[in-house]
Amino acid sequence: MPQPIETRRHSAAHVMAAAVKRLFPEAKLGVGPVIENGFYYDIDISRPVTNDDVKAITKEMRKILKENPAFTRMDISLDEAIKLFQDLGQTYKVELLNDLKTKGTTKVSAEEAQDVDPQNVGMVSIYRTGEFTDLCRGPHVTEAKEIGDGWKLTKIAGVYWRGKDTNPQMQRIYGLCFDTAAELEAYEVMMAEAEKRDHRKLGKELGLFVFSELVGPGLPLWTPRGTTVRELLNDFVWQLRKPYGYERVTIPHITKKDLYETSGHWAKYAEDLFKIKTREDHLYAMKPMNCPHHTQIYASEQRSYRQLPIRYAETTMVYRDEQSGELSGLSRVLSITQDDAHVFCRVSQVRDEAEKVWDIIQRFYNAFGFTLTPRFSRRDMAKPEKYQGSAEDWDKAEASLKGMLEEKKINWVDGPGEAAFYGPKIDFMAKDSIGRTWQVATIQLDFTQPKNLDVFCINEAGEREQVVMIHCAIMGSIERFMSVLIEHYAGAFPLWLSPVQVMILPVADRHNDFAFALAKELKERGLRVEVDDSTESVGKKIRNAEKGKAPRMLVVGDKEMEGGPLTVRVRGEADQKSLPKEAFIAECLKMVEEKAT
Ligand SMILES: [Zn+2]
Ligand SMILES: [Zn+2]
């Protein structure tokens, strides 16, 4: 039975550290956790690590794997451990152990922390691999060879010990580690493909969005082309929502601090809020979310159970103050457009409503060819203190969601402990065209905001009954969804979604007037058309249009001007074809109608 991949990744980190110690006996080690797809180890050799060093370390690691030492665990007392690592000159480990002694944890990062074991206070575990000893909570493989050959050291980064720039600098060596060499290779091929599709690069080439030094980082400005795509996506969501009884609402982008104090967000998220002081010295905030505002529309009148569910939808920007170092393309921005919606319903209506949201999510993501896997994010039953709301409501709501998942007879993932503190949810993972998965839509139940903001209905017995809120954005953040979509399609949007659907390419200057007249006609029929009237050769114009990812090109010359059929080029196809104008228009409109991919 092979060990879980995380165990092998972490064991590979130990072998790397062992190799480093052989080559650099003076090296001091920091932490070496498992990360997505691999591992890293922070080391201090008093100088930067070079690519040649990495080669040498890799060679030494191979040697160690051949020697195949066992991984042996020992439990020793904290004081013994401190003495041991002092003798080994591992001062960073000694610091961690002293932390463990005084604070009960070695927490440096979420990935690797050793906590005092309540069953075994005053003890820690260490692992020996050949001559190498490390402080570690495990688990590990039993012999080094179980790590296999699906690994590779990838890159080096300079970091500070414990992330503080007043601490010594260390070198972080990263590695990938998979079950097999074939899986490692497949991953590298995928990442190379991902790099070619980078949305920051493609977004610029396709003219979808720009950034301005004056406006600031993390604040994308959407061009007419980018705005066209955003609007089409948003219209599509609305088209799916409307039959289910959603109503549109509109709220201001700022609010008095009081709203977030009452909702509980101020206490939790005050740091992430953009705050505004008014001339009268009142404190306002830019909204980081829309839910509390929407509750105020609901609560503006007394609601009978007969009116429920009430469903509000609004596509609007929210603002979150992030550290500028974290901002990246469209994936991490300060101004986030949400296609937000909130359903107010009774606990007994959760199942029905969740079904409807699911249907919208399914249809939306299917249209782009994403495969979805839902995750049932529920309570960690061992930690009831983590969750707000009555256990009875949680039981009912979780049972509704689970019943729905089971009935659908699809693959789903169980997520104990993945619920939010305010309610259970279903999270959807989408697999894109190159095999990467992204967390996308969620169906998120919320018992807490209705309680904090006193959102209720009058039930059959004439009593006040607290309602449940379902947060159900379909794209979530349009910015992030656009980044995923651009990379999924490598910028080649299907015709219905392309900002420019038809590019008209006049062969010579004398065909320009005809080209513009044709463009006008196609526009009147509902297509998005542009004319390339530059002085380039027609060959160059075709290459440019291909680069701009226009799904259709029309080459117009003398024959077309004399009333002949249109000469049509389809994106990605070498041959051109002749089509009568009406047939061409009908074909395009049909593709739009069907959202053909
Ligand atoms: Zn370890
Ligand atoms: Zn919400």
Side-chain angles (χ1 to χ4, degrees):
M1 194 41 198
Q3 297 275 0
I5 187 69
E6 287 75 22
T7 302
R8 288 158 51 202
R9 283 175 183 154
H10 188 56
S11 300
H14 276 231
V15 171
M16 178 169 89
V20 167
K21 284 295 290 177
R22 280 189 185 176
L23 298 171
F24 309 95
E26 301 303 305
K28 289 182 189 160
L29 301 170
V31 293
V34 173
I35 50 171
E36 204 183 0
N37 305 313
F39 59 90
Y40 68 73
Y41 218 120
D42 289 348
I43 63 168
D44 180 354
I45 57 165
S46 311
R47 65 160 175 86
V49 171
T50 64
N51 285 329
D52 283 342
D53 294 332
V54 169
K55 269 184 213 147
I57 296 167
T58 302
K59 211 170 143 199
E60 198 61 39
M61 284 175 75
R62 292 220 175 91
K63 221 167 111 195
I64 295 174
L65 289 180
K66 226 175 244 160
E67 294 163 16
N68 193 27
F71 278 73
T72 41
R73 178 188 169 113
M74 266 171 288
D75 290 275
I76 59 174
S77 77
L78 244 171
D79 291 325
E80 276 179 275
I82 291 173
K83 171 93 182 31
L84 173 72
F85 286 100
Q86 260 166 1
D87 291 347
L88 290 169
Q90 292 297 339
T91 49
Y92 297 115
K93 302 282 180 188
V94 173
E95 187 182 324
L96 295 178
L97 286 163
N98 280 322
D99 272 9
L100 193 61
K101 204 168 163 179
T102 52
K103 298 185 199 143
T105 179
T106 62
K107 194 155 186 151
V108 177
S109 62
E111 292 98 357
E112 169 134 331
Q114 195 166 89
D115 295 317
V116 166
D117 180 356
Q119 311 296 323
N120 216 356
V121 179
M123 299 292 282
V124 288
S125 56
I126 57 168
Y127 272 85
R128 284 195 202 280
T129 318
E131 76 283 4
F132 175 67
T133 304
D134 204 354
L135 171 66
C136 180
R137 64 184 158 166
H140 278 289
V141 296
T142 36
E143 308 180 294
K145 71 172 185 207
E146 288 169 62
I147 294 166
D149 57 358
W151 61 272
K152 181 184 175 181
L153 301 186
T154 49
K155 58 176 180 179
I156 318 154
V159 294
Y160 293 102
W161 168 237
R162 308 196 120 172
K164 259 193 225 131
D165 61 7
T166 47
N167 281 347
Q169 243 213 331
M170 306 187 78
Q171 303 284 308
R172 178 168 296 174
I173 308 178
Y174 285 95
L176 293 168
C177 180
F178 290 89
D179 278 324
T180 60
E183 262 178 60
L184 170 68
E185 200 196 318
Y187 176 79
E188 291 193 282
V189 169
M190 183 177 88
M191 291 318 285
E193 181 59 36
E195 212 177 299
K196 277 190 248 160
R197 293 167 176 244
D198 189 331
H199 77 272
R200 291 165 295 190
K201 188 177 115 230
L202 283 171
K204 200 172 193 178
E205 282 172 23
L206 301 176
L208 298 173
F209 55 88
V210 295
F211 289 93
S212 149
E213 293 268 342
L214 291 176
V215 175
L219 296 164
L221 307 170
W222 293 89
T223 62
R225 286 185 182 186
T227 304
T228 299
V229 180
R230 284 167 56 101
E231 293 290 322
L232 287 162
L233 293 170
N234 191 45
D235 288 349
F236 183 25
V237 170
W238 179 242
Q239 185 196 322
L240 295 169
R241 271 182 178 152
K242 203 173 168 213
Y244 282 127
Y246 283 79
E247 300 171 285
R248 276 172 160 159
V249 292
T250 307
I251 60 173
H253 289 217
I254 58 173
T255 175
K256 275 164 61 186
K257 171 188 179 193
D258 309 45
L259 178 67
Y260 296 132
E261 277 181 334
T262 314
S263 69
H265 291 111
W266 193 269
K268 265 194 135 63
Y269 305 112
E271 283 212 329
D272 306 327
L273 298 179
F274 283 107
K275 298 171 195 90
I276 307 163
K277 185 116 1 101
T278 68
R279 65 171 84 193
E280 286 160 3
D281 241 15
H282 297 298
L283 198 51
Y284 278 65
M286 300 293 294
K287 65 179 161 86
M289 55 182 61
N290 311 303
C291 348
H293 283 85
H294 286 179
T295 65
Q296 297 309 292
I297 303 177
Y298 175 95
S300 62
E301 51 182 277
Q302 184 162 301
R303 310 286 180 176
S304 152
Y305 72 94
R306 285 194 204 87
Q307 289 171 275
L308 300 190
I310 287 176
R311 308 171 187 91
Y312 294 149
E314 178 178 14
T315 297
T316 178
M317 259 185 207
V318 298
Y319 308 88
R320 292 180 192 164
D321 190 1
E322 305 243 19
Q323 291 189 325
S324 54
E326 315 252 293
L327 302 172
S328 165
L330 295 178
S331 321
R332 233 16 211 287
V333 291
L334 302 178
S335 55
I336 306 155
T337 318
Q338 293 182 328
D339 61 332
D340 214 357
H342 295 103
V343 175
F344 299 90
C345 67
R346 305 174 81 181
V347 175
S348 60
Q349 294 171 321
V350 160
R351 165 87 185 251
D352 244 23
E353 279 310 301
E355 289 271 10
K356 289 171 187 160
V357 181
W358 188 316
D359 182 55
I360 296 169
I361 291 170
Q362 190 77 53
R363 293 215 238 161
F364 182 78
Y365 285 92
N366 275 358
F368 307 100
F370 289 112
T371 21
L372 290 180
T373 308
R375 181 182 68 199
F376 177 35
S377 301
R378 60 185 175 89
R379 273 170 301 179
D380 176 350
M381 297 306 275
K383 294 183 182 150
E385 71 284 358
K386 271 176 64 184
Y387 307 100
Q388 295 182 2
S390 81
E392 201 194 329
D393 281 349
W394 273 87
D395 288 343
K396 275 193 215 154
E398 286 184 349
S400 307
L401 296 183
K402 192 171 182 204
M404 181 170 73
L405 284 159
E406 280 171 347
E407 206 167 272
K408 289 200 183 268
K409 306 216 182 315
I410 44 154
N411 279 333
W412 57 278
V413 180
D414 193 20
E418 298 285 346
F421 70 88
Y422 49 80
K425 51 187 179 151
I426 295 181
D427 296 311
F428 291 86
M429 316 291 177
K431 192 178 229 186
D432 73 9
S433 58
I434 58 168
R436 290 180 298 177
T437 42
W438 306 90
Q439 188 176 326
V440 287
T442 63
I443 306 174
Q444 202 159 345
L445 308 192
D446 188 344
F447 303 119
T448 298
Q449 284 196 60
K451 181 158 172 277
N452 292 346
L453 293 159
D454 199 21
V455 176
F456 64 94
C457 69
I458 301 295
N459 67 16
E460 296 90 328
E463 297 157 341
R464 286 161 60 102
E465 179 184 310
Q466 197 197 299
V467 303
V468 188
M469 221 173 146
I470 308 179
H471 309 267
C472 42
I474 305 301
M475 288 182 270
S477 147
I478 297 189
E479 285 73 16
R480 187 170 167 279
F481 182 70
M482 282 283 284
S483 75
V484 172
L485 206 59
I486 291 168
E487 298 189 5
H488 175 61
Y489 284 126
F493 294 114
L495 189 122
W496 73 271
L497 199 54
S498 287
V500 181
Q501 296 169 312
V502 184
M503 199 70 186
I504 302 183
L505 313 175
V507 175
D509 276 358
R510 64 178 183 282
H511 307 118
N512 282 355
D513 287 346
F514 175 75
F516 280 107
L518 179 61
K520 183 164 177 279
E521 193 182 346
L522 297 182
K523 280 182 194 167
E524 281 166 3
R525 302 289 293 274
L527 294 170
R528 296 184 291 277
V529 190
E530 283 185 14
V531 178
D532 181 355
D533 64 346
S534 66
T535 50
E536 302 287 358
S537 71
V538 74
K540 186 80 202 290
K541 284 179 184 179
I542 291 171
R543 284 194 297 280
N544 285 342
E546 287 275 0
K547 228 191 241 162
K549 315 271 183 193
R552 293 290 180 277
M553 289 164 245
L554 296 176
V555 181
V556 299
D558 292 337
K559 271 194 283 176
E560 289 77 15
M561 239 167 92
E562 283 154 17
L566 297 177
T567 302
V568 183
R569 294 184 75 97
V570 175
R571 179 181 60 205
E573 288 177 17
D575 299 334
Q576 45 192 40
K577 59 181 178 182
S578 275
L579 260 188
K581 189 165 67 191
E582 279 310 314
F584 172 74
I585 295 172
E587 185 187 271
C588 290
L589 293 178
K590 186 159 175 277
M591 288 181 74
V592 171
E593 173 73 26
E594 292 172 353
K595 295 195 164 57
T597 48

